[in-house]
Amino acid sequence: MICSKGDALQASPAGFFWLRGNDIKLLFATGPSLNTRLLAAVLASLALMVVDYQGARLHAVRAFLSLAVYPLQSLASWPNDMLHRIGGTVISYVDLQRENQRLKDIELINDARLLKLAALEKENIRLRLLLENSFQLGEQVLIAELLSVKLEPYEHRVMVNKGSRFGVHERQPVLDANGVVGQVIRALPNSSEVMLITDPSHAIPVEVNRNGLRTIAFGTGQSNRLHLPFLANNADIAPGDLLVTSGLGGGFPAGYPVAVVDKFEARPDKSFANIYATPKAQLDSSREFLIVWSDANPVVMGAQDRNKSAPNSDTPHAAQ
Amino acid sequence: MPHNNHLAYFYFILSVGVAMMLRVMSWWPSLDPFNPDWVLLVLIYWAIAMPERFGVFTAWSAGLLTDVLTGRLLGQYALIFALVAYFSIREHLRLRQAPMLQQCLFVFFCLAGSESVIFGTESMKAGNQFSFDFWYPAFSGTVAWPLVFTVMRQVRQKARLG
């Protein structure tokens, strides 16, 4: 029963109140019509989409709404987390002891490697100083845990439980123990979205560790495949080569392992070969990730020395 | 009946919240591509059952929250949900009478239309190549509709809403 406002006003007072009492039927008559509402909603959402597509101007709105949504995401993640926690708690003493022993062994080996690394780092700094080259400072990391939520099934994006409250920001690289995982594409107050390197719209600049050949690795949408489409048929690359980040573009710090080449497919009829690689990071089983802060402005080591030799320089703080 | 009114809003928010949880929950990695759009199904139910309370703007707000939940462009699901709510409300008298099979057909067209809108905006955003997996939720959602309908009707009858 649809009646306009005019009808309701013309009705006798008694009839009007009767209609008011039975408001279930009358709500269509109050306020704008269904078509008007749809038009308003469509226009509002189109405006939102255009503004959101153009930039990060709506970030505050999204951050505010995410406060309401975050509890739902944590709840949705809870059964899976619980399963993992139970799996971690219910473990026999013998297994625990064995794992402890194994971890101690690994730590010993890693410590020994670190001793050597310290010496190598010193040597690297000395060599760069000779070349008057810039030197990248060390990176800081933050451990973030995966929220077991699936944003869209066809995308390779995950949620982690650290957000802008911890200083996480967009475009930060994310690693796990074995290699590069992806980058932060959106930092919300309590959580952030990470795009994995296997997402079809992700690309990462890499170089072959063996000979420094630089190229770009694209995601394929499969969780164990990267595609390198821009190398010529005679490029010096072979299955088994390790690809590391090249540091070009400034997004990812240089030198982290990304993937291992597993297939080289020369195409005689085309100018580029088809090359596929398997990511080093355990993209589908890792639950803990490292979010990396790399120092954006490299320190020029040579400057320090030059200042020492010229103490009358007018930049006193640079001499420290 | 203001008391009944508040109760209806409570059940509405509860059901949409549960649907949002189901939407992002990962049951089993290989089944994830089939996870239907539960929020849309629940909204269709409310639009058919109580069109005078839960209209286009309610669906629009739920869509905005879903955008944030799934990390889409703000307004994408809001647009879809508002459109679907509009059609459901316009046809609600017919849909209430229709047999389950015809309701499923209507739901399928809603879900397919929703997927098409997402397809359009996503291909505008980046040159993604979507496989056929992309369209699975429309089919699984159609299959899940009778379940959603039955459960929600039970809830509504238990709560004695309109």
Side-chain angles (χ1 to χ4, degrees):
Chain A
M1 175 164 143
I2 297 173
C3 56
S4 73
K5 246 180 184 163
D7 292 341
L9 287 177
Q10 276 170 10
S12 67
F16 183 61
F17 284 119
W18 177 79
L19 281 170
R20 279 292 295 264
N22 202 354
D23 62 348
I24 286 172
K25 298 290 178 205
L26 205 102
L27 260 159
F28 279 127
T30 61
S33 79
L34 193 57
N35 290 338
T36 324
R37 288 180 200 207
L38 178 72
L39 189 69
V42 167
L43 287 180
S45 28
L46 285 181
L48 276 177
M49 275 161 82
V50 169
V51 175
D52 200 23
Y53 181 62
Q54 281 174 346
R57 240 173 299 171
L58 289 175
H59 193 81
V61 179
R62 192 185 282 274
F64 175 72
L65 288 176
S66 79
L67 293 180
V69 162
Y70 181 68
L72 289 176
Q73 284 172 335
S74 324
L75 262 179
S77 171
W78 184 77
N80 235 327
D81 293 350
M82 213 54 206
L83 217 66
H84 280 272
R85 204 161 300 155
I86 289 171
T89 316
V90 184
I91 189 168
S92 78
Y93 178 72
V94 180
D95 282 344
L96 212 61
Q97 225 174 12
R98 203 174 295 148
E99 191 183 348
N100 199 357
Q101 189 57 45
R102 192 172 58 84
L103 290 176
K104 271 184 183 156
D105 289 352
I106 292 175
E107 200 203 351
L108 189 66
I109 294 170
N110 282 345
D111 277 351
R113 277 194 192 145
L114 275 179
L115 288 176
K116 215 172 162 189
L117 183 77
L120 282 174
E121 202 169 40
K122 280 275 162 54
E123 186 184 345
N124 199 354
I125 292 174
R126 257 200 322 275
L127 288 172
R128 278 176 190 275
L129 212 139
L130 286 176
L131 291 167
E132 298 205 337
N133 213 335
S134 66
F135 183 71
Q136 194 90 24
L137 279 187
E139 286 100 14
Q140 277 188 310
V141 295
L142 173 76
I143 295 179
E145 243 176 85
L146 184 75
L147 283 176
S148 307
V149 297
K150 197 81 188 167
L151 298 181
E152 290 287 349
Y154 53 88
E155 280 179 345
H156 291 233
R157 292 183 186 188
V158 293
M159 280 291 225
V160 295
N161 67 349
K162 295 280 158 62
S164 52
R165 272 193 193 169
F166 289 84
V168 177
H169 56 84
E170 263 178 51
R171 295 167 56 79
Q172 264 186 302
V174 179
L175 314 174
D176 78 351
N178 300 308
V180 176
V181 166
Q183 58 181 312
V184 176
I185 53 167
R186 194 175 279 143
L188 298 168
N190 292 312
S191 57
S192 35
E193 270 174 53
V194 175
M195 183 184 269
L196 304 181
I197 52 174
T198 50
D199 189 281
S201 52
H202 191 271
I204 175 171
V206 293
E207 66 181 22
V208 179
N209 199 25
R210 180 165 54 86
N211 54 14
L213 179 68
R214 282 194 286 269
T215 184
I216 296 175
F218 285 82
T220 57
Q222 293 163 300
S223 66
N224 55 358
R225 268 291 159 91
L226 292 178
H227 185 210
L228 285 71
F230 299 137
L231 283 177
N233 280 322
N234 59 357
D236 181 14
I237 186 168
D241 277 349
L242 177 68
L243 301 171
V244 298
T245 48
S246 67
L248 287 182
F252 292 91
Y256 282 108
V258 178
V260 176
V261 176
D262 64 355
K263 194 170 156 202
F264 181 95
E265 200 178 85
R267 293 185 298 176
D269 54 330
K270 301 261 170 58
S271 39
F272 294 117
N274 247 343
I275 301 165
Y276 290 99
T278 312
K280 285 284 278 181
Q282 315 251 294
L283 294 177
D284 40 7
S285 59
S286 283
R287 297 187 58 78
E288 271 161 356
F289 297 131
L290 300 172
I291 302 179
V292 182
W293 277 262
S294 52
D295 206 326
N297 23 336
V299 175
V300 180
M301 298 303 291
Q304 195 180 343
D305 234 42
R306 253 177 271 135
N307 282 335
K308 264 183 197 160
S309 62
N312 295 337
S313 153
D314 46 356
T315 54
H317 60 276
Q320 294 166 14
Chain B
M1 290 175 281
H3 169 70
N4 197 348
N5 222 354
H6 289 305
L7 208 63
Y9 282 113
F10 170 74
Y11 277 103
F12 176 77
I13 290 170
L14 188 74
S15 61
V16 170
V18 170
M20 281 181 174
M21 260 174 60
L22 289 175
R23 177 75 172 70
V24 291
M25 213 181 234
S26 180
W27 292 106
W28 196 255
S30 51
L31 281 183
D32 281 339
F34 292 97
N35 197 16
D37 196 345
W38 298 102
V39 188
L40 188 59
L41 294 178
V42 167
L43 283 175
I44 292 177
Y45 177 80
W46 283 114
I48 295 174
M50 303 176 92
E52 61 284 341
R53 279 200 198 138
F54 307 111
V56 171
F57 283 132
T58 331
W60 187 82
S61 324
L64 210 58
L65 283 178
T66 313
D67 285 325
V68 177
L69 184 77
T70 57
R72 309 284 86 203
L73 277 179
L74 274 184
Q76 180 176 309
Y77 276 115
L79 175 70
I80 293 167
F81 289 1
L83 280 170
V84 168
Y86 171 77
F87 287 117
S88 312
I89 292 173
R90 248 187 49 174
E91 301 294 322
H92 75 275
L93 288 177
R94 244 174 271 176
L95 282 170
R96 277 182 196 168
Q97 305 297 327
M100 189 48 90
L101 208 64
Q102 277 182 31
Q103 282 189 6
C104 282
L105 201 67
F106 173 80
V107 168
F108 176 72
F109 279 119
C110 286
L111 289 170
S114 136
E115 295 284 306
S116 314
V117 172
I118 297 172
F119 189 85
T121 49
E122 288 298 307
S123 15
M124 180 183 80
K125 220 168 65 179
N128 276 347
Q129 304 100 350
F130 292 123
S131 56
F132 196 69
D133 291 13
F134 182 80
W135 302 97
Y136 286 165
F139 298 105
S140 56
T142 312
V143 175
W145 169 250
L147 177 75
V148 173
F149 185 80
T150 325
V151 170
M152 292 296 293
R153 193 167 58 178
Q154 287 291 323
V155 168
R156 197 168 64 91
Q157 282 170 352
K158 282 269 157 53
R160 295 210 189 81
L161 300 175

